[in-house]
Amino acid sequence: MAMLALTDDVILPLGIVSNSKKELKLEGIALDDALIITLASSLSTLPLESSSMDTIIGVSKARDFPTAPLLAEMFRVMKPDGKILIHLTELAADLPSDNILSSLKRKILVAGFLELEAIQQQPDAFAGVHSIQVKARKPSWKVGSSFSLKSSKLLPKVQLDDDMDLIDEDTLLTEEDLKKPQLPVVGDCEVASTRKACKNCTCGRAEEEQKVEKLGLTMDQLDNPQSACGSCGLGDAFRCSTCPYKGLPPFKLGEKVSLSDNFLAADI
C-alpha cells in the first residue's frame, strides 16, 4: 500500500506518522516506504500521478492547514476508497478548538471526501497545547466514471370499478348557488327622456335638472336647442345680450347641449 505524508513544517516527526498509522489501523506499511513531502502548502501541484496513493496523512501546527488547493491535490492523487487523516498538533489551549474543527471538517467535505470522523484530544495541561484529528474516505468511484441507472419500478395502475362511490358534483352546490340572479331594477329616469328625475336618482338626471334650473332654461331648450339668428351655438362672442343660451358652451343646433360637471361650480 502506498502512503503519503505531508507537512507544512521543514521536518516531520516519524512518531506522529506512526501514531497516525495506528489511528487508521494500517498494517504492513513500513515508515521507510512512505513518501514524505515537507512545506507542502508551497506546492501548486503534488509531484504524483492521479489515483496513486492509498493513504494520505497531513500533519501541521498551523490552524489553517491544509489549504483548499492542497486538499484538491490530495483528493486527486488518492485512490478511490482511500483514507485520509489530517492531524493538527500543538494548537494553543486558548484557541477556539470547536471553530477550528468545524472549519477543517467543512474544507474536507468541500474537497469531496466522505465519512468524516473527528477526534479532539484533551489539552495537555503541562504543555498548554492540544491537537485535532479528522479522518475521512475518498468515494469508491473515479472522476469521470459512469454507470447506468436502474429502471424504476412502474407505478401500480389504479382501476376504477363501476360500483365505487363517486361524488355527485351537483350535491356540492347550495341552494344559494342554484338561485337565478336578479337583474337590477331600471329607474324611472331611464324610461323616457321626458320624465323628471326620480326621488333617489343615481343616473345623473337630477344634477342636470338642477343646472338647468340655475340657468333658467327648460330641458327642451337643452335637448333640442334652436336659434332665431343662427349664432347661438357659436358661443358667447356671437350671442346677443338677451340670448337664453348666454354662458353655455358652444353647441350645434338641434343637438343636445352637454354641460360639464363643474360648469356651474365657482372658480374660487
Side-chain angles (χ1 to χ4, degrees):
M1 296 178 65
M3 183 175 71
L4 171 65
L6 300 172
T7 182
D8 256 359
D9 300 329
V10 179
I11 60 174
L12 177 62
L14 294 181
I16 297 179
V17 179
S18 179
N19 293 335
S20 300
K21 280 182 53 181
K22 294 180 182 178
E23 190 66 40
L24 293 174
K25 299 179 181 180
L26 300 176
E27 302 294 340
I29 300 180
L31 294 180
D32 296 339
D33 298 333
L35 176 62
I36 299 177
I37 298 178
T38 59
L39 301 176
S41 293
S42 62
L43 301 176
S44 57
T45 58
L46 295 177
L48 298 170
E49 296 181 358
S50 301
S51 303
S52 58
M53 291 292 153
D54 298 286
T55 306
I56 297 179
I57 298 174
V59 181
S60 178
K61 299 177 183 178
R63 55 187 295 183
D64 57 349
F65 178 87
T67 61
L70 181 58
L71 265 174
E73 278 295 291
M74 295 164 70
F75 188 88
R76 179 185 65 82
V77 302
M78 178 176 287
K79 294 180 181 179
D81 211 24
K83 296 180 180 180
I84 183 177
L85 186 142
I86 303 299
H87 191 177
L88 301 183
T89 64
E90 299 185 18
L91 297 175
D94 57 347
L95 290 177
S97 57
D98 292 339
N99 294 345
I100 298 175
L101 179 60
S102 176
S103 176
L104 178 59
K105 292 171 63 177
R106 181 169 59 252
K107 289 193 297 184
I108 294 176
L109 280 175
V110 171
F113 294 96
L114 306 174
E115 299 178 7
L116 270 67
E117 181 181 350
I119 303 172
Q120 187 170 352
Q121 298 182 358
Q122 295 296 328
D124 188 343
F126 179 77
V129 296
H130 66 101
S131 62
I132 294 174
Q133 292 182 355
V134 176
K135 296 188 296 184
R137 181 182 64 84
K138 183 177 179 179
S140 57
W141 41 264
K142 293 182 179 180
V143 176
S145 61
S146 62
F147 56 92
S148 59
L149 297 174
K150 295 182 180 179
S151 59
S152 58
K153 296 182 180 179
L154 298 177
L155 297 176
K157 295 182 179 180
V158 179
Q159 296 181 353
L160 299 178
D161 299 333
D162 295 338
D163 298 336
M164 293 181 65
D165 295 334
L166 299 178
I167 298 177
D168 187 2
E169 295 179 355
D170 294 337
T171 59
L172 301 177
L173 300 176
T174 63
E175 294 182 0
E176 293 294 331
D177 297 330
L178 298 176
K179 288 183 179 180
K180 184 178 180 180
Q182 298 293 332
L183 297 177
V185 180
V186 179
D188 291 341
C189 54
E190 294 184 3
V191 175
S193 60
T194 57
R195 294 202 179 194
K196 292 185 178 182
C198 57
K199 184 178 180 181
N200 299 321
C201 179
T202 58
C203 68
R205 180 180 289 272
E207 287 80 357
E208 292 290 337
E209 291 180 355
Q210 291 177 1
K211 292 179 181 180
V212 173
E213 290 178 359
K214 292 181 180 180
L215 293 172
L217 299 173
T218 63
M219 290 298 297
D220 291 338
Q221 288 177 309
L222 288 179
D223 292 340
N224 185 23
Q226 301 296 328
S227 174
C229 63
S231 301
C232 296
L234 300 178
D236 286 347
F238 303 91
R239 293 169 185 162
C240 59
S241 59
T242 58
C243 181
Y245 299 103
K246 193 172 183 62
L248 293 179
F251 57 85
K252 292 183 180 181
L253 298 179
E255 295 184 3
K256 182 178 180 179
V257 180
S258 59
L259 303 177
S260 59
D261 294 337
N262 60 348
F263 181 71
L264 294 177
D267 295 336
I268 302 177

